[in-house]
Amino acid sequence: INDRDNDNVLLCRFDHSITDGLSIGKVFTRIMKRMDGSEISTLVPKSMVSNKTKSDEKRLEMLLKLPKAILDVSTSPLGKYDDGTHFSKNLVGKDVVDRGLLDLLIFDPVPIDFIKEMKNKAGVSLNDILLTVWSHAILDFCEHHECPVIKNMGERLQCRALMTYGFPNISLDKAEAVKNGWVPLSLNLNVGIRDILKKLKCINTQTTKLKNSPLARVQLYLQNAILPYVPVALNRKTVYGVYSRHSMNCTNVPGPQERVCIAHQPVKSCMFFVPFIHPVLSMLSYNGQIHITFTANKSAIQNVELLPKFYMKALLTLGNKLDVDIPPAIAKLVNGGE
């Protein structure tokens, strides 16, 4: 696509039934090159590649947690529905329906060094920072609309996201480039907590627990080894049961950390979005920035277009609380600049 600024837009469409975000990145390494013309072998950070040589102590710890993980996965379609805030009241419950065409929100890019500085200052992960900011944006968004549920529930509020947990495909075989190794893991966003540092601590506690749990592997086994033999009607009911109890989906995919080119043309920016019955927050890192999109239906979330503004405001709030330098572009956006 050639836009009015004479920039070319390369738009690719992939079906999630056959591939995941990490696999798409692997496919793109076949057509992308560094600016000096050298090839890119992988986009998956070393920290994401699982260590296959786990200690006996770690294996025993996982084994002891296995029964609870099996129970949690088995009962996930039967749990409590999220509370119906201004953000989620049309997204959770027994009668959630597809509302048709979705709206795409594109956020202003966020400097990754800013996120890393906050991460290092707080001693948490990059995802913890991004999720905390998003949670606080939902809180501000709901309070802007004088949501009574937020006021009444306070810190007891349940507003969860289904986080995409990916299993990187480290095979060098080109025939195995496209895989679908991911599971959705439930995470309470702690939206009702107004102290953003307390919120960050709570989210970090949850993500650390998930990383040290066999839950993801149990769910992957269930998806791949058992569900294919379950009748389609029951399969659909199970999936609907899980998603209708959660407020949204969230996914974060690693991209090239330096500028790349395609067909000898430099790539200015890179982003992706997921059209789904549920809202999806999608994040992709590229060339020193994090590119964020959000897909949702305006009839489901009234004034959804305000969320990017509240996200930037929450970034500023967390940055100030952690006493890190705020990028001028972020400060300008929050203070009313264009």
Side-chain angles (χ1 to χ4, degrees):
I1 304 172
N2 185 266
D3 66 15
R4 60 188 176 186
D5 295 323
N6 292 319
D7 285 333
N8 294 310
V9 178
L10 176 61
L11 182 64
C12 300
R13 180 179 177 182
F14 295 84
D15 197 306
H16 220 327
S17 65
I18 61 170
T19 188
D20 57 28
L22 295 176
S23 292
I24 293 173
K26 195 168 186 178
V27 170
F28 268 89
T29 59
R30 309 297 178 188
I31 61 174
M32 293 187 306
K33 291 186 182 297
R34 294 187 176 89
M35 293 302 293
D36 61 6
S38 60
E39 294 188 353
I40 301 172
S41 58
T42 182
L43 299 179
V44 180
K46 292 182 180 179
S47 59
M48 286 190 66
V49 180
S50 59
N51 184 2
K52 297 181 181 297
T53 58
K54 293 179 180 176
S55 65
D56 292 338
E57 182 180 348
K58 187 69 174 179
R59 291 178 185 277
L60 177 60
E61 181 185 343
M62 287 291 189
L63 186 62
L64 292 174
K65 294 178 179 178
L66 193 58
K68 186 179 186 307
I70 294 174
L71 178 64
D72 289 345
V73 172
S74 303
T75 57
S76 58
L78 307 172
K80 179 181 178 292
Y81 290 99
D82 278 2
D83 295 310
T85 63
H86 179 85
F87 175 83
S88 60
K89 62 185 178 182
N90 296 317
L91 308 172
V92 295
K94 299 177 181 179
D95 302 313
V96 178
V97 296
D98 186 351
R99 292 172 174 261
L101 291 177
L102 297 170
D103 296 284
L104 171 64
L105 304 181
I106 300 176
F107 293 44
D108 288 281
V110 178
I112 197 168
D113 285 342
F114 175 46
I115 303 297
K116 286 181 177 179
E117 189 175 355
M118 289 194 287
K119 169 187 83 76
N120 295 335
K121 195 74 176 284
V124 298
S125 72
L126 188 142
N127 265 343
D128 292 337
I129 296 293
L130 295 172
L131 288 169
T132 298
V133 172
W134 177 246
S135 169
H136 214 66
I138 295 176
L139 173 63
D140 287 345
F141 175 74
C142 289
E143 290 188 332
H144 174 77
H145 290 91
E146 300 180 346
C147 174
V149 178
I150 287 281
K151 182 178 180 180
N152 294 334
M153 295 298 295
E155 295 188 2
R156 295 179 292 112
L157 182 82
Q158 178 171 291
C159 179
R160 298 170 298 168
L162 284 169
M163 291 289 305
T164 300
Y165 186 99
F167 294 87
N169 173 22
I170 59 177
S171 172
L172 298 178
D173 187 348
K174 293 182 180 181
E176 296 184 4
V178 175
K179 292 284 188 179
N180 218 357
W182 65 278
V183 294
L185 296 181
S186 180
L187 182 86
N188 189 356
L189 293 172
N190 298 111
V191 169
I193 298 178
R194 286 174 171 78
D195 183 338
I196 197 168
L197 293 182
K198 181 180 179 181
K199 188 194 299 276
L200 175 60
K201 183 177 180 180
C202 290
I203 288 178
N204 172 253
T205 299
Q206 288 185 80
T207 57
T208 301
K209 185 178 179 181
L210 286 174
K211 291 172 186 174
N212 295 314
S213 165
L215 189 66
R217 292 194 176 277
V218 169
Q219 189 158 323
L220 185 68
Y221 176 81
L222 178 70
Q223 290 178 185
N224 294 346
I226 297 178
L227 289 186
Y229 300 99
V230 174
V232 173
L234 181 57
N235 234 329
R236 289 175 176 170
K237 186 176 181 180
T238 300
V239 173
Y240 183 85
V242 173
Y243 282 88
S244 63
R245 283 166 168 77
H246 290 76
S247 299
M248 58 169 291
N249 296 65
C250 185
T251 181
N252 189 358
V253 177
Q257 296 308 300
E258 58 189 295
R259 199 170 195 186
V260 299
C261 61
I262 296 179
H264 305 292
Q265 298 298 315
V267 177
K268 288 185 177 179
S269 64
C270 183
M271 65 188 70
F272 75 104
F273 58 93
V274 183
F276 191 52
I277 186 174
H278 248 182
V280 182
L281 182 72
S282 305
M283 297 172 282
L284 184 142
S285 55
Y286 171 66
N287 191 29
Q289 294 184 315
I290 297 177
H291 299 268
I292 304 171
T293 64
F294 186 63
T295 50
N297 190 289
K298 287 182 179 178
S299 66
I301 307 177
Q302 184 183 5
N303 298 324
V304 66
E305 68 277 1
L306 297 177
L307 278 166
K309 181 188 75 172
F310 285 113
Y311 190 86
M312 293 300 166
K313 179 184 174 185
L315 270 174
L316 184 66
T317 300
L318 185 56
N320 286 331
K321 286 287 185 179
L322 291 172
D323 195 25
V324 301
D325 293 333
I326 308 298
I330 300 292
K332 184 177 179 181
L333 284 168
V334 175
N335 293 326
E338 294 298 328

